Amino acid sequence: MNKFWRLFSKIRIHPLLWVIIGLGIATGFFWELLILFTIVFIHELGHAAMAQHFNWKIKQIVILPFGGFCDVDEHGNRSMKEDLFVILAGPAQHIIIACLVPLFQMTGILSNEYGEIITRYNLMILFFNLLPIRPLDGGKIIHLLLSVYKPYLQSFQLSLISSSLILVIFHILILVLSPLNLNIWLILLYLDICLWSEWKQQRYIFMRFLLERYYGRNEDFSQLKTLNASGEDYLYQVLIRFNRGCKHLIDIGGEFGQAKLDENEILHAYFTEKRVRAQLKDLVYDQE
């Protein structure tokens, strides 16, 4: 139980949020803002509690003016079941809230007016988070599904591409249907910035994925996957073909016959020996 209480020590409030709250008090919308941010907080706490249950390393839980995020130090090497549970734990909180609101209304804890506000905001945040756009939960689910069939880096890049296309469509729709809605434009701007940040960090995210595999901080791999390669292939060309949940054996044909390399040999050469420009044939010659 203590490990769940420790989650509260990781909560961080973005300074701009206090400005928004001040504006809410000045304009008479304090209670509406409080309800909105409370729902966001419960949503992020759901992610964090599930991550804590699986002993993930949680860096911080950040509440922003336009949402929040649970920042974990995990990079694609946990089991897909754990990953899915952590993602869905956030939206699951909205179902709990939806069930509690009528109960609180019947017992008089909540007035019908505030019950309706909570229900409206609760559904709004739920549907918003399930949009298939990174870094929202819907976008993370798309990435997880793609990673079942595609290498980790490729699945991440495809999720970024699909997120960008959907976000462009939303921009066009808002431009046509509600061009003067400042709140929606601010939310879209926030998503634009987040998505651009993930585009820039994709190599860093991929390197963390590989480093976790190399240092053994990963799941028990469920299957062995053989990658056919040429001795002329560079190490990075092989690394970008790595899948999550698989242990890789690299089969090098051609002049080397049936030479095989374990993925750890490639990771060791790439990260420890710094042979970032080496080819597979160089590692085979080292073994002879």
Side-chain angles (χ1 to χ4, degrees), residues 12 16 44 51 80 85 100 120 138 152 156 163 220 247:
R12 302 290 182 269
L16 187 56
E44 297 305 328
M80 291 191 183
F85 281 1
L100 289 177
R120 183 169 66 251
Y152 181 81
F156 183 74
S163 296
D220 293 329
K247 183 75 171 178

Side-chain angles (χ1 to χ4, degrees), residues 17-38 114 117 121:
L17 180 56
W18 299 114
V19 177
I20 301 296
I21 291 175
L23 291 174
I25 295 173
T27 56
F29 289 98
F30 172 73
W31 290 110
E32 287 80 358
L33 283 173
L34 182 62
I35 291 171
L36 185 65
F37 291 125
T38 299
Y114 279 106
I117 293 174
Y121 285 175

